[in-house]
Amino acid sequence: MSPDADASPAGGAARAIAVAVLLAIAGPVLGIVLVNLAVVPLAFAGVEITPILNISLSLVFLTWGGIGGVALLYLRYRGKDLSYFGVRVPSFRDWVAAVVGYVAALALGLSAAVVVSQLGVEAGTNQAAQLGMENPEVLLLLLPASFLFIGVGEELLFRGVVQTRLRETFSPAVGILLASVIFAAIHYAAVSGSPMARFTSISLLIFPSVVFGIVYEYTDNLVVPVLIHGAYDATLFSMLYLAVKFAEMPQETVLFV
């Protein structure tokens, strides 16, 4: 990925981090506002907000409208098009990177969760996973949504905008790490439990996030981390669905990104 030129080192670094953090916050905040604007009229009209409707509204208005919307608004503000993100049909090399990245993200994420579990450290529970445990049909909806909504919206903002913006100032390694930390930190509100448990959970999210960032840097094609992110979450939702139906609830639900 070829970073654009930026201003003086110290000022440029501070500005890049500030912009990245503000954008990362703006996406979910706008999404929450849009979800509430959709829910309130439905509630007043007497429409029952079922778990399926609730998660559907969140996918559309939070993930696409808020998170993805802020990414596209930033794109327009910068006077850029989708080429700024490197969006194109994946090549054979891209598909290989996607497969390797998926395996690496899943291996790192699950391994980290197993280590935390073995150490007896308390970890929080992802709220979408909690909803899925109580309403397994929600998990079936989240399988295609992982590709169509979650992967698209979150990668547009956190890799396409946040990481690319940071890469205009920082080296690849620093840009990837900073973007991954910001990405994980934003999920704090999506995890339930004590502050320490939630901190443990979001810390684990850094591992798959770094993989998404490395693959994006390597391929310069946003479609690739979108595919990996979607496949990663879909795999975990599938595991959770099988666990809810046939076994006890696994600790690994903290890994959803």
Side-chain angles (χ1 to χ4, degrees), residues 31 98 105 111-112 118 121 126 141 190 194 211:
S111 297
Q118 292 298 314
V121 178
N126 180 281
L141 173 64
S194 67
V211 174

Side-chain angles (χ1 to χ4, degrees), residues 40-122:
V40 171
L42 291 175
F44 272 113
V47 176
E48 182 186 0
I49 309 300
T50 64
I52 288 288
L53 179 57
N54 181 40
I55 201 70
S56 298
L57 291 173
S58 295
L59 288 169
V60 173
F61 292 104
L62 174 59
T63 310
W64 266 10
I67 296 175
V70 164
L72 296 178
L73 286 173
Y74 179 76
L75 201 66
R76 182 168 183 175
Y77 170 76
R78 291 288 301 270
K80 307 284 187 179
D81 55 27
L82 288 176
S83 63
Y84 178 74
F85 297 149
V87 175
R88 63 178 183 276
V89 176
S91 64
F92 176 76
R93 173 175 173 269
D94 291 339
W95 281 109
V96 171
V99 172
V100 173
Y102 164 72
V103 172
L106 199 60
L108 284 173
L110 292 177
S111 297
V114 168
V115 169
V116 167
S117 179
Q118 292 298 314
L119 291 174
V121 178
E122 180 189 5

Side-chain angles (χ1 to χ4, degrees), residues 13-250:
R15 178 180 174 81
I17 293 174
V19 170
V21 170
L22 288 174
L23 288 168
I25 294 173
V29 169
L30 175 60
I32 291 170
V33 171
L34 293 175
V35 169
N36 286 324
L37 288 176
V39 167
V40 171
L42 291 175
F44 272 113
V47 176
E48 182 186 0
I49 309 300
T50 64
I52 288 288
L53 179 57
N54 181 40
I55 201 70
S56 298
L57 291 173
S58 295
L59 288 169
V60 173
F61 292 104
L62 174 59
T63 310
W64 266 10
I67 296 175
V70 164
L72 296 178
L73 286 173
Y74 179 76
L75 201 66
R76 182 168 183 175
Y77 170 76
R78 291 288 301 270
K80 307 284 187 179
D81 55 27
L82 288 176
S83 63
Y84 178 74
F85 297 149
V87 175
R88 63 178 183 276
V89 176
S91 64
F92 176 76
R93 173 175 173 269
D94 291 339
W95 281 109
V96 171
V99 172
V100 173
Y102 164 72
V103 172
L106 199 60
L108 284 173
L110 292 177
S111 297
V114 168
V115 169
V116 167
S117 179
Q118 292 298 314
L119 291 174
V121 178
E122 180 189 5
T125 301
N126 180 281
Q127 293 175 12
Q130 184 66 43
L131 182 62
M133 287 191 301
E134 298 166 357
N135 306 274
E137 67 276 7
V138 168
L139 296 171
L140 297 179
L141 173 64
L142 288 171
L143 294 181
S146 296
F147 293 95
L148 299 176
F149 291 92
I150 302 171
V152 173
E154 293 193 357
E155 291 306 305
L156 269 174
L157 182 58
F158 292 100
R159 244 58 60 182
V161 166
V162 172
Q163 182 171 317
T164 301
R165 178 65 185 89
L166 290 169
R167 278 288 288 113
E168 293 176 354
T169 302
F170 298 100
S171 66
V174 174
I176 291 168
L177 182 58
L178 286 174
S180 298
V181 170
I182 292 170
F183 173 79
I186 291 300
H187 283 75
Y188 184 87
V191 178
S192 60
S194 67
M196 184 55 67
R198 295 165 81 173
F199 177 77
T200 299
S201 294
I202 64 172
S203 297
L204 294 178
L205 298 183
I206 294 176
F207 294 101
S209 182
V210 165
V211 174
F212 302 158
I214 290 173
V215 172
Y216 183 37
E217 179 72 31
Y218 175 72
T219 62
D220 196 19
N221 183 358
L222 189 65
V223 175
V224 182
V226 166
L227 291 171
I228 299 173
H229 192 151
Y232 177 90
D233 274 3
T235 299
L236 294 182
F237 285 129
S238 299
M239 292 170 60
L240 181 56
Y241 180 79
L242 294 174
V244 169
K245 286 294 187 179
F246 305 110
E248 295 182 357
M249 218 297 287

